[in-house]
Amino acid sequence: MGLLSKRDSKLILDPLSDNNPITIQVLGICSALAITAELEASVVMSIAVLFVMGVGNVVISLIRNIVPSRIKIIVQLIVIATLVIIVDLVLKAYAYELSKTLSVFVGLIITNCIIMGRFEAFALANGLWRSFLDGIGNAFGYAVILVIVGFFRELLGAGTLWGYPVFGDAIDKTGLYAWGYENNGFMLLSPMALIVVGIIIWIQRSKSTHLIED
Amino acid sequence: MEHIELLFKSIFIDNMVFATFLGMCSYLAVSKKVTTANGLGAAVIFVLTITVPLNWLLDTYVLQDGAMKWLHPSFEEYNLSFLSFILFIATIATMVQLVEVVVEKFSPALYNSLGIFLPLIAVNCAILGGSLFMQSREIPSLELAFTYGIGSGIGFWLAILTIAAIREKIRYSNVPPPLRGLGITFIITGLMAIGFMSFGGMLTGGDEAPQGTVKEIVLESENDELGDEGDQTVLDTNKEIE
């Protein structure tokens, strides 16, 4: 890459695989599980987190030298909360139905551990450009898992992708349903999100064995 | 009656961890040993019991549409609800710091057991989630908000305690290497969540009771038309699943 040095591109690529925020760092699970019943909600949530993380990391990195450490957490929370309010208002204005589906989980981006975790671990100690890259990279790592989980849950649970029927019509028995295929409604229920993430972790760790815990 | 119903509902049916996945990060990170899990659970109960009623007051007297009327009639047209995220999280962060200072001063023993968890809690989704659900489910009174806070806290405590106990035992089992640690915890949590889903039918089956004795507490918007049509809704969802 011409634009990024090797060290910088590592910041973006690492969270996608070996340092994934969800499957390895165990951050930001709450929202990853709760809203992944549909692909569309997963993608919108990912974009929201991408925005908050990118901008938030830059702001924290800018003010990291003037904030006393005693009030650090409150300042960070205020920065995130402001960004999340922006996201929430934009969603309410342009995608009202979707903001109903996401309900409180947009607000819960504030306490999404990915954001606080990366602020603490990275943005407080690094410069502006690298913090921005780190934010973007981790948000992409988060998005990858969200999209995979959302994809399988919607496909197997409702037989649709982004709201469009893929396998044919379940009620008129066309397409795959004519052959006796049935949607697995259980995939839409929340416990299956946990199990799907569990399986992703399983696959990832059997491929890269150095990640296996004790 | 209302209180018992809400307590039951917030502990089992709408369990923080198993139904809404709140507080998952600390749930996964601090559940390796029963004693630490117990400490975190107790701290969550403590903080939720304080912050949910406080945020209820804030929501009712400051944030809602026209809520500032008590201050001056001309404030009636103000709707500050867009500020709720920032005010809730500020309340939680300050309360956590305050509680930390007070507990340290008056009860060093309690501080030693809760102390290290208190800063963690400010950024625990379960705490903010408790307040946000309190707002979106429109809990009607301060006492009920108090009950809701305690109930949600107990739900989290129960969840983290059970998973910690299971994780302590599972160390002696032969789990496939790639699943060890995090992976198997996810899958067990999924299975436990399926178990907790069975509590879901317990409050909607109240049709045998004479009308008017059981007050329906409206917790979720889709529960609005429960009551008489409750069975109908259950049937419909069954149909969808099939």
Side-chain angles (χ1 to χ4, degrees):
Chain A
M1 290 193 208
L3 185 63
L4 304 169
S5 70
K6 203 165 188 181
R7 221 168 50 129
D8 285 351
S9 62
K10 203 167 144 51
L11 283 178
I12 290 205
L13 294 179
D14 251 15
L16 290 181
S17 58
D18 276 6
N19 200 15
N20 189 283
I22 291 182
T23 61
I24 309 297
Q25 303 177 44
V26 208
L27 298 172
I29 314 277
C30 328
S31 52
L33 298 173
I35 45 88
T36 47
E38 293 164 19
L39 188 59
E40 193 184 5
S42 319
V43 171
V44 170
M45 188 70 178
S46 308
I47 296 172
V49 170
L50 185 72
F51 169 76
V52 176
M53 282 208 69
V55 179
N57 259 8
V58 168
V59 173
I60 293 295
S61 165
L62 273 179
I63 61 174
R64 70 183 190 278
N65 290 329
I66 50 173
V67 177
S69 63
R70 287 189 72 85
I71 57 164
K72 200 175 57 185
I73 288 186
I74 295 184
V75 172
Q76 287 170 352
L77 284 173
I78 300 289
V79 170
I80 309 170
T82 317
L83 292 168
V84 170
I85 288 174
I86 297 173
V87 170
D88 187 47
L89 290 179
V90 168
L91 272 183
K92 275 192 183 138
Y94 294 103
Y96 189 72
E97 286 302 313
L98 205 61
S99 81
K100 281 280 163 225
T101 321
L102 294 175
S103 68
V104 301
F105 290 98
V106 176
L108 288 172
I109 297 178
I110 299 173
T111 47
N112 192 322
C113 334
I114 294 188
I115 297 176
M116 286 301 279
R118 293 323 292 178
F119 279 7
E120 286 286 322
F122 203 91
L124 276 177
N126 283 282
L128 203 134
W129 174 236
R130 283 171 59 79
S131 301
F132 176 71
L133 289 180
D134 181 74
I136 298 286
N138 275 287
F140 272 124
Y142 174 82
V144 166
I145 302 291
L146 239 70
V147 169
I148 294 176
V149 178
F151 177 84
F152 282 110
R153 282 183 75 191
E154 195 180 343
L155 186 70
L156 299 177
T160 58
L161 277 179
W162 206 278
Y164 296 108
V166 179
F167 294 146
D169 198 312
I171 298 156
D172 298 339
K173 299 281 176 208
T174 59
L176 211 53
Y177 295 100
W179 298 74
Y181 176 80
E182 290 288 347
N183 284 329
N184 180 2
F186 204 56
M187 289 297 281
L188 292 179
L189 299 176
S190 43
M192 282 315 285
L194 284 160
I195 294 179
V196 171
V197 175
I199 293 171
I200 293 176
I201 293 175
W202 192 356
I203 295 172
Q204 192 190 8
R205 293 192 183 181
S206 19
K207 277 191 160 179
S208 34
T209 41
H210 61 279
L211 296 173
I212 292 175
E213 294 171 40
D214 44 60
Chain B
M1 191 60 215
E2 261 182 340
H3 286 270
I4 297 171
E5 203 174 318
L6 184 63
L7 197 68
F8 184 82
K9 209 161 187 166
S10 51
I11 295 178
F12 293 107
I13 300 174
D14 292 321
N15 185 292
M16 276 278 167
V17 174
F18 296 129
T20 48
F21 300 124
L22 297 179
M24 264 323 232
C25 311
S26 39
Y27 167 85
L28 291 167
V30 195
S31 63
K32 284 192 179 115
K33 279 172 72 187
V34 171
T35 42
T36 45
N38 198 9
L40 180 72
V44 167
I45 298 181
F46 197 63
V47 174
L48 266 175
T49 317
I50 296 172
T51 55
V52 171
L54 257 180
N55 280 337
W56 185 87
L57 287 175
L58 207 59
D59 188 42
T60 317
Y61 293 109
V62 181
L63 293 171
Q64 274 175 15
D65 196 6
M68 298 261 271
K69 203 168 59 175
W70 60 276
L71 210 58
H72 192 273
S74 63
F75 290 159
E76 201 182 339
E77 63 223 52
Y78 289 107
N79 180 1
L80 295 181
S81 52
F82 68 95
L83 282 177
S84 47
F85 292 155
I86 213 164
L87 276 182
F88 283 179
I89 198 71
T91 316
I92 290 167
T94 30
M95 276 320 292
V96 168
Q97 299 245 303
L98 206 68
V99 166
E100 202 182 341
V101 173
V102 171
V103 171
E104 192 181 6
K105 179 101 171 86
F106 291 105
S107 168
L110 186 65
Y111 180 76
N112 282 336
S113 55
L114 292 190
I116 45 168
F117 298 115
L118 282 173
L120 252 179
I121 277 178
V123 287
N124 188 333
C125 342
I127 309 291
L128 182 64
S131 292
L132 289 178
F133 272 122
M134 175 273 298
Q135 189 190 33
S136 75
R137 289 169 181 176
E138 290 164 6
I139 302 280
S141 71
L142 183 62
E143 293 86 10
L144 282 173
F146 183 72
T147 314
Y148 182 70
I150 292 189
S152 310
I154 295 176
F156 182 84
W157 171 78
L158 195 69
I160 197 167
L161 205 64
T162 41
I163 193 73
I166 293 177
R167 281 182 84 169
E168 275 193 358
K169 294 286 175 223
I170 211 161
R171 221 167 286 160
Y172 308 110
S173 316
N174 187 17
V175 180
L179 268 181
R180 268 177 209 160
L182 192 60
I184 196 72
T185 314
F186 266 102
I187 290 178
I188 293 171
T189 311
L191 295 177
M192 283 163 80
I194 294 172
F196 266 70
M197 275 169 61
S198 57
F199 287 112
M202 289 182 73
L203 282 190
T204 49
D207 276 3
E208 298 85 10
Q211 287 290 316
T213 48
V214 180
K215 275 185 194 163
E216 278 287 336
I217 300 172
V218 183
L219 273 189
E220 285 167 59
S221 50
E222 68 256 34
N223 280 6
D224 274 353
E225 62 277 336
L226 275 190
D228 292 74
E229 298 101 37
D231 279 1
Q232 193 57 46
T233 327
V234 173
L235 280 180
D236 285 347
T237 31
N238 281 345
K239 225 175 268 167
E240 274 170 34
I241 291 169
E242 283 160 27

